[in-house]
Short mmCIF file of all heavy atoms in Angstrom, two decimals:
data_model
loop_
_atom_site.label_atom_id
_atom_site.label_comp_id
_atom_site.label_asym_id
_atom_site.label_seq_id
_atom_site.Cartn_x
_atom_site.Cartn_y
_atom_site.Cartn_z
N GLY A 26 0.77 -1.24 0.00
CA GLY A 26 0.00 0.00 0.00
C GLY A 26 0.80 1.28 0.00
O GLY A 26 0.23 2.36 0.11
N TYR A 27 2.12 1.19 -0.13
CA TYR A 27 2.93 2.41 -0.11
C TYR A 27 2.73 3.27 -1.36
O TYR A 27 3.06 4.44 -1.36
CB TYR A 27 4.42 2.06 0.04
CG TYR A 27 4.73 1.51 1.41
CD1 TYR A 27 4.97 0.16 1.60
CD2 TYR A 27 4.77 2.34 2.51
CE1 TYR A 27 5.24 -0.35 2.86
CE2 TYR A 27 5.04 1.85 3.78
CZ TYR A 27 5.28 0.50 3.94
OH TYR A 27 5.55 0.00 5.19
N LEU A 28 2.16 2.70 -2.40
CA LEU A 28 1.91 3.44 -3.63
C LEU A 28 0.47 3.89 -3.77
O LEU A 28 0.13 4.55 -4.75
CB LEU A 28 2.29 2.58 -4.85
CG LEU A 28 3.76 2.27 -4.99
CD1 LEU A 28 3.97 1.19 -6.04
CD2 LEU A 28 4.52 3.52 -5.35
N ASP A 29 -0.36 3.55 -2.83
CA ASP A 29 -1.79 3.84 -2.96
C ASP A 29 -2.09 5.33 -3.14
O ASP A 29 -3.05 5.69 -3.81
CB ASP A 29 -2.57 3.30 -1.76
CG ASP A 29 -2.68 1.78 -1.77
OD1 ASP A 29 -2.26 1.16 -2.77
OD2 ASP A 29 -3.17 1.22 -0.77
N GLU A 30 -1.29 6.18 -2.55
CA GLU A 30 -1.52 7.62 -2.65
C GLU A 30 -0.67 8.28 -3.75
O GLU A 30 -0.79 9.49 -3.97
CB GLU A 30 -1.23 8.29 -1.30
CG GLU A 30 -2.09 7.77 -0.16
CD GLU A 30 -3.58 7.95 -0.39
OE1 GLU A 30 -3.98 9.02 -0.88
OE2 GLU A 30 -4.34 7.00 -0.10
N VAL A 31 0.16 7.50 -4.42
CA VAL A 31 1.03 8.04 -5.47
C VAL A 31 0.26 8.00 -6.80
O VAL A 31 -0.29 6.96 -7.16
CB VAL A 31 2.33 7.19 -5.59
CG1 VAL A 31 3.20 7.67 -6.74
CG2 VAL A 31 3.10 7.22 -4.28
N PRO A 32 0.21 9.11 -7.54
CA PRO A 32 -0.45 9.09 -8.84
C PRO A 32 0.22 8.07 -9.77
O PRO A 32 1.43 7.88 -9.71
CB PRO A 32 -0.25 10.51 -9.38
CG PRO A 32 0.06 11.35 -8.18
CD PRO A 32 0.74 10.44 -7.20
N VAL A 33 -0.58 7.42 -10.59
CA VAL A 33 -0.07 6.35 -11.47
C VAL A 33 1.11 6.85 -12.30
O VAL A 33 2.10 6.13 -12.47
CB VAL A 33 -1.19 5.80 -12.38
CG1 VAL A 33 -0.66 4.81 -13.39
CG2 VAL A 33 -2.28 5.16 -11.54
N GLU A 34 1.04 8.09 -12.79
CA GLU A 34 2.12 8.60 -13.64
C GLU A 34 3.42 8.84 -12.87
O GLU A 34 4.47 9.04 -13.47
CB GLU A 34 1.69 9.87 -14.39
CG GLU A 34 1.34 11.04 -13.51
CD GLU A 34 -0.11 11.06 -13.02
OE1 GLU A 34 -0.89 10.13 -13.33
OE2 GLU A 34 -0.44 12.02 -12.31
N LYS A 35 3.37 8.79 -11.54
CA LYS A 35 4.58 9.00 -10.73
C LYS A 35 5.11 7.71 -10.11
O LYS A 35 6.08 7.73 -9.36
CB LYS A 35 4.32 10.03 -9.64
CG LYS A 35 4.08 11.42 -10.20
CD LYS A 35 4.04 12.44 -9.12
CE LYS A 35 3.88 13.82 -9.77
NZ LYS A 35 3.96 14.88 -8.77
N VAL A 36 4.49 6.58 -10.44
CA VAL A 36 4.91 5.30 -9.87
C VAL A 36 6.34 4.98 -10.30
O VAL A 36 7.16 4.52 -9.49
CB VAL A 36 3.94 4.16 -10.27
CG1 VAL A 36 4.52 2.79 -9.95
CG2 VAL A 36 2.61 4.35 -9.58
N GLY A 37 6.69 5.22 -11.54
CA GLY A 37 8.05 4.95 -12.02
C GLY A 37 9.08 5.78 -11.28
O GLY A 37 10.15 5.28 -10.92
N ALA A 38 8.76 7.04 -11.02
CA ALA A 38 9.67 7.91 -10.27
C ALA A 38 9.82 7.42 -8.84
O ALA A 38 10.93 7.39 -8.30
CB ALA A 38 9.16 9.35 -10.28
N PHE A 39 8.71 7.01 -8.22
CA PHE A 39 8.76 6.47 -6.86
C PHE A 39 9.68 5.25 -6.83
O PHE A 39 10.56 5.15 -5.97
CB PHE A 39 7.35 6.09 -6.41
CG PHE A 39 7.28 5.51 -5.02
CD1 PHE A 39 6.96 6.31 -3.95
CD2 PHE A 39 7.52 4.17 -4.78
CE1 PHE A 39 6.88 5.80 -2.65
CE2 PHE A 39 7.46 3.64 -3.50
CZ PHE A 39 7.13 4.45 -2.43
N GLU A 40 9.48 4.35 -7.77
CA GLU A 40 10.26 3.12 -7.81
C GLU A 40 11.75 3.42 -8.00
O GLU A 40 12.60 2.90 -7.28
CB GLU A 40 9.76 2.21 -8.93
CG GLU A 40 10.54 0.92 -9.06
CD GLU A 40 10.07 0.06 -10.22
OE1 GLU A 40 9.32 0.55 -11.09
OE2 GLU A 40 10.47 -1.11 -10.27
N SER A 41 12.08 4.27 -8.98
CA SER A 41 13.49 4.53 -9.25
C SER A 41 14.16 5.26 -8.10
O SER A 41 15.30 4.97 -7.74
CB SER A 41 13.67 5.27 -10.57
OG SER A 41 13.28 6.61 -10.47
N GLN A 42 13.46 6.20 -7.47
CA GLN A 42 14.04 6.91 -6.32
C GLN A 42 14.21 5.98 -5.13
O GLN A 42 15.21 6.05 -4.42
CB GLN A 42 13.18 8.11 -5.95
CG GLN A 42 13.30 9.26 -6.93
CD GLN A 42 12.41 10.43 -6.54
OE1 GLN A 42 12.02 10.57 -5.39
NE2 GLN A 42 12.09 11.27 -7.50
N ALA A 43 13.24 5.12 -4.90
CA ALA A 43 13.33 4.17 -3.78
C ALA A 43 14.52 3.23 -3.99
O ALA A 43 15.30 2.98 -3.07
CB ALA A 43 12.04 3.38 -3.64
N LEU A 44 14.66 2.72 -5.21
CA LEU A 44 15.77 1.81 -5.50
C LEU A 44 17.11 2.52 -5.41
O LEU A 44 18.09 1.96 -4.89
CB LEU A 44 15.59 1.15 -6.86
CG LEU A 44 14.45 0.13 -6.94
CD1 LEU A 44 14.24 -0.33 -8.37
CD2 LEU A 44 14.71 -1.05 -6.02
N SER A 45 17.17 3.76 -5.86
CA SER A 45 18.41 4.54 -5.74
C SER A 45 18.78 4.74 -4.28
O SER A 45 19.95 4.59 -3.89
CB SER A 45 18.27 5.89 -6.42
OG SER A 45 18.16 5.74 -7.80
N ASP A 46 17.79 5.08 -3.48
CA ASP A 46 18.02 5.28 -2.04
C ASP A 46 18.46 3.98 -1.38
O ASP A 46 19.39 3.96 -0.57
CB ASP A 46 16.75 5.82 -1.39
CG ASP A 46 16.97 6.32 0.03
OD1 ASP A 46 18.10 6.25 0.54
OD2 ASP A 46 15.99 6.79 0.64
N LEU A 47 17.80 2.89 -1.73
CA LEU A 47 18.19 1.59 -1.17
C LEU A 47 19.62 1.24 -1.55
O LEU A 47 20.40 0.78 -0.71
CB LEU A 47 17.24 0.50 -1.66
CG LEU A 47 15.96 0.32 -0.86
CD1 LEU A 47 15.01 -0.61 -1.59
CD2 LEU A 47 16.26 -0.23 0.52
N LYS A 48 19.97 1.41 -2.81
CA LYS A 48 21.33 1.08 -3.26
C LYS A 48 22.37 1.94 -2.55
O LYS A 48 23.43 1.46 -2.16
CB LYS A 48 21.45 1.27 -4.77
CG LYS A 48 20.70 0.24 -5.57
CD LYS A 48 20.78 0.56 -7.06
CE LYS A 48 19.89 -0.33 -7.87
NZ LYS A 48 19.86 0.07 -9.29
N ALA A 49 22.06 3.22 -2.39
CA ALA A 49 23.03 4.15 -1.80
C ALA A 49 23.15 3.99 -0.29
O ALA A 49 24.25 4.07 0.26
CB ALA A 49 22.63 5.59 -2.14
N ASN A 50 22.03 3.77 0.38
CA ASN A 50 22.03 3.81 1.85
C ASN A 50 21.71 2.49 2.54
O ASN A 50 21.93 2.36 3.74
CB ASN A 50 21.04 4.87 2.34
CG ASN A 50 21.37 6.24 1.78
OD1 ASN A 50 22.52 6.66 1.81
ND2 ASN A 50 20.37 6.91 1.25
N HIS A 51 21.14 1.55 1.80
CA HIS A 51 20.72 0.29 2.41
C HIS A 51 21.07 -0.89 1.51
O HIS A 51 20.28 -1.82 1.35
CB HIS A 51 19.21 0.29 2.68
CG HIS A 51 18.75 1.45 3.49
ND1 HIS A 51 18.90 1.51 4.85
CD2 HIS A 51 18.16 2.62 3.13
CE1 HIS A 51 18.41 2.65 5.31
NE2 HIS A 51 17.96 3.34 4.28
N GLY A 52 22.25 -0.85 0.93
CA GLY A 52 22.68 -1.92 0.02
C GLY A 52 22.68 -3.29 0.68
O GLY A 52 22.45 -4.30 0.02
N ASP A 53 22.91 -3.32 1.98
CA ASP A 53 22.89 -4.58 2.70
C ASP A 53 21.52 -5.25 2.65
O ASP A 53 21.42 -6.47 2.61
CB ASP A 53 23.32 -4.37 4.15
CG ASP A 53 22.45 -3.37 4.89
OD1 ASP A 53 22.06 -2.35 4.27
OD2 ASP A 53 22.17 -3.59 6.08
N LEU A 54 20.48 -4.46 2.59
CA LEU A 54 19.13 -5.00 2.50
C LEU A 54 18.91 -5.71 1.17
O LEU A 54 18.37 -6.82 1.12
CB LEU A 54 18.11 -3.86 2.68
CG LEU A 54 16.66 -4.22 2.88
CD1 LEU A 54 16.47 -5.22 4.01
CD2 LEU A 54 15.86 -2.97 3.18
N LEU A 55 19.38 -5.10 0.09
CA LEU A 55 19.29 -5.75 -1.23
C LEU A 55 20.15 -7.00 -1.27
O LEU A 55 19.75 -8.03 -1.83
CB LEU A 55 19.69 -4.77 -2.33
CG LEU A 55 18.73 -3.61 -2.58
CD1 LEU A 55 19.34 -2.62 -3.58
CD2 LEU A 55 17.39 -4.10 -3.07
N ASP A 56 21.34 -6.93 -0.67
CA ASP A 56 22.22 -8.11 -0.62
C ASP A 56 21.56 -9.25 0.14
O ASP A 56 21.65 -10.41 -0.28
CB ASP A 56 23.55 -7.76 0.05
CG ASP A 56 24.39 -6.80 -0.77
OD1 ASP A 56 24.19 -6.72 -2.00
OD2 ASP A 56 25.27 -6.14 -0.18
N THR A 57 20.89 -8.93 1.23
CA THR A 57 20.20 -9.94 2.02
C THR A 57 19.09 -10.61 1.20
O THR A 57 18.96 -11.83 1.21
CB THR A 57 19.60 -9.32 3.31
OG1 THR A 57 20.67 -8.77 4.08
CG2 THR A 57 18.85 -10.35 4.13
N LEU A 58 18.32 -9.81 0.47
CA LEU A 58 17.26 -10.37 -0.37
C LEU A 58 17.85 -11.27 -1.46
O LEU A 58 17.31 -12.34 -1.75
CB LEU A 58 16.42 -9.26 -0.99
CG LEU A 58 15.47 -8.55 -0.05
CD1 LEU A 58 14.91 -7.30 -0.71
CD2 LEU A 58 14.35 -9.48 0.37
N ARG A 59 18.95 -10.83 -2.05
CA ARG A 59 19.60 -11.62 -3.11
C ARG A 59 20.11 -12.94 -2.54
O ARG A 59 19.94 -13.99 -3.15
CB ARG A 59 20.75 -10.82 -3.71
CG ARG A 59 21.41 -11.47 -4.91
CD ARG A 59 22.56 -10.65 -5.50
NE ARG A 59 22.27 -9.25 -5.65
CZ ARG A 59 22.82 -8.27 -4.93
NH1 ARG A 59 23.72 -8.54 -4.00
NH2 ARG A 59 22.50 -7.01 -5.13
N ARG A 60 20.71 -12.89 -1.38
CA ARG A 60 21.30 -14.07 -0.77
C ARG A 60 20.24 -15.04 -0.23
O ARG A 60 20.29 -16.23 -0.47
CB ARG A 60 22.25 -13.65 0.36
CG ARG A 60 22.99 -14.79 1.02
CD ARG A 60 23.87 -14.33 2.17
NE ARG A 60 23.08 -13.71 3.23
CZ ARG A 60 23.15 -12.41 3.56
NH1 ARG A 60 23.97 -11.61 2.93
NH2 ARG A 60 22.38 -11.92 4.52
N ASP A 61 19.26 -14.52 0.51
CA ASP A 61 18.26 -15.36 1.17
C ASP A 61 17.19 -15.89 0.23
O ASP A 61 16.58 -16.92 0.50
CB ASP A 61 17.59 -14.61 2.31
CG ASP A 61 18.54 -14.31 3.45
OD1 ASP A 61 19.66 -14.87 3.47
OD2 ASP A 61 18.17 -13.50 4.33
N ARG A 62 16.91 -15.13 -0.82
CA ARG A 62 15.87 -15.50 -1.79
C ARG A 62 14.48 -15.61 -1.16
O ARG A 62 13.62 -16.36 -1.61
CB ARG A 62 16.21 -16.79 -2.52
CG ARG A 62 17.44 -16.67 -3.35
CD ARG A 62 17.77 -17.96 -4.03
NE ARG A 62 18.89 -17.77 -4.90
CZ ARG A 62 18.85 -17.92 -6.21
NH1 ARG A 62 17.73 -18.26 -6.79
NH2 ARG A 62 19.92 -17.72 -6.93
N GLU A 63 14.29 -14.87 -0.07
CA GLU A 63 12.99 -14.78 0.59
C GLU A 63 13.00 -13.57 1.51
O GLU A 63 14.05 -13.04 1.84
CB GLU A 63 12.68 -16.05 1.39
CG GLU A 63 13.58 -16.25 2.58
CD GLU A 63 13.21 -17.48 3.40
OE1 GLU A 63 12.03 -17.60 3.79
OE2 GLU A 63 14.09 -18.32 3.63
N ILE A 64 11.82 -13.16 1.91
CA ILE A 64 11.71 -12.05 2.85
C ILE A 64 11.50 -12.65 4.24
O ILE A 64 10.41 -13.07 4.58
CB ILE A 64 10.55 -11.10 2.48
CG1 ILE A 64 10.76 -10.51 1.09
CG2 ILE A 64 10.42 -9.99 3.51
CD1 ILE A 64 9.63 -9.63 0.62
#
């Protein structure tokens, strides 16, 4: 539901900014998902 209030035309921007932020500041979280293959 994090996108429920985001206009459809801004979903791509939300996604790319979130992924950029994750890569820059929370890369360990992405590494954990890649390694564990589950949440």
Side-chain angles (χ1 to χ4, degrees):
Y27 291 105
L28 293 168
D29 288 354
E30 301 301 318
V31 176
V33 174
E34 63 274 2
K35 292 189 177 185
V36 168
F39 180 97
E40 179 183 13
S41 73
Q42 287 179 21
L44 290 173
S45 292
D46 191 359
L47 275 169
K48 289 175 188 174
N50 302 313
H51 306 282
D53 57 321
L54 191 53
L55 291 173
D56 293 338
T57 300
L58 286 168
R59 186 180 315 111
R60 183 182 62 247
D61 293 348
R62 296 179 176 243
E63 67 178 307
I64 300 177

